[in-house]
Structure formats: C-alpha cells, structure tokens
Amino acid sequence: MADSDSRAGSRYATKPILDWCAQTHAPHDAALARAFAVPEGVPAIQVGPSEGQLLALLCKLAGAKKAVEVGTLIGYSSIHIARALGAGGHLWSIEFEPRHAAIARDNLAAAGLSDRVTGVEGAGVDVLPTLEPHGPVDVVFIDADKVNYERYGAWAIANLRQGGIVLGDNSFLFGELHEDTDRGRAMRGFHELVAKSCDSVNIPTPDGLVLGIKR
Ligand code: DHB
Ligand code: MG
C-alpha cells in the first residue's frame, strides 16, 4: 500500500501562495475575467484559474483538436479548453441549466470563440450519445453532476482516441469520496474505470482532478 505520509505529508499551498502562483502563471484577460465572475444566482463552482490553465496546457500537450466538456456552467473552463485547441479545433460543451448555457454563449462570444465551441443543452447522459459521430475525440473533461461520473467516464473511454485524455474535476468529491452514497460509489467507480483503461493519476488540486491517458 502506498504510504501517503512517506513524503512528510505537509501541504505548503497557503492561499497567498496559491493566489500569487495563479496571478503569475495564469492571469485573466478580459474574456476569462468575465466568465469567472458569476452573476447573481449562478453558483461559483467553476474551476480555479490555475486548474483552468492546467486544463489548457494538458490539451496542448495532447495536441488536442476535438474536445467534449460535460458541465459548461458559464463557460470559464470552456474558454481555457477552446483556446488550447487552436484554430480548426472544436469543443462540444454540455450544460443542463438553460440559464447557465445562455450566459456561457454570451461569454464565449465575448471571447471570440463562438465558431470553435458548440454549446449543447441537456443532461449529459442524453447528450453524450448524440456526440458520438464527432468521435473519436482527443479530450473529455467531466465537471457535472457527480452521481453520473461513472457513466460519463465510460463514455469518455469508449469515445477517446488512443492517447486521448480524460479529466474529471472534484475527484475528492468534496471530501466525501469514501462515503456510502450514490455519488460516492459513482466517483469511486469513475476513478477505477479510468485507472483500468488509462495511464492515470489523481492531481491533488483543492478538490482533486483525475487525469487519464487512454491506452
Ligand atoms: C460543485 C460542483 C463542482 O463541479 C465544483 O467544482 C464545486 C462544487 C457543487 O455542485 O457544489
Ligand atoms: Mg467542478
């Protein structure tokens, strides 16, 4: 069993240190600032600036052209991903809440990315099968309802090219990964599925980010 204490187990990432690193490596331009600032009534549950930048860099490393995102919210991570795909790339981004999808559409237009992103409204489990004709894809980023992560992960594994990457946000499940709940089981199932089909790791962002490269 790997011992999590064998590297001292200290966490040096204080808020001032994390904020300085985000400012230094991943400063917002106007389009990102706009999509990061949630309006009244929209939950502030987007990925952080450093995590958004990490998504972008991983897409670049993978040479990604085609990406699927489950959970647009208002388009902050979508902007990071879509920019990283470059001209000729395309992102299909799924959002369940019509109001969030509408705000995302405006934010993506303000970022000049309307041509590169297709927003699809609906539940991930319903929409994903309709995207299969666009596959195989290079990247799948999952950041939606946690109870369906295992299903989203299965779709990703089935529709990624070999060498393509699957990413899953909130992989610590807000600290509830081990709980005997539907979403606890689903998140553990997601981890195990990715580990079985990919070279994978859990990146210890504040709430965890699973990365798998499909074998
Ligand atoms: C929630 C969802 C997320 O994807 C996240 O990153 C943080 C919080 C939520 O549903 O509360
Ligand atoms: Mg999330």
Side-chain angles (χ1 to χ4, degrees), residues 78-118:
S78 319
I79 293 173
H80 278 290
I81 294 167
R83 284 178 171 171
L85 302 178
H90 204 84
L91 169 65
W92 290 266
S93 187
I94 304 168
E95 176 54 44
F96 182 72
E97 281 292 331
R99 178 163 178 250
H100 299 171
I103 300 168
R105 198 149 42 241
D106 290 346
N107 286 337
L108 288 158
L113 292 168
S114 298
D115 291 351
R116 211 180 289 178
V117 185
T118 301

Side-chain angles (χ1 to χ4, degrees), residues 154-173:
W155 189 90
I157 301 301
N159 290 276
L160 280 168
R161 67 161 162 89
Q162 189 183 355
I165 64 178
V166 55
L167 291 150
D169 191 37
N170 307 103
S171 54
F172 295 150
L173 194 58

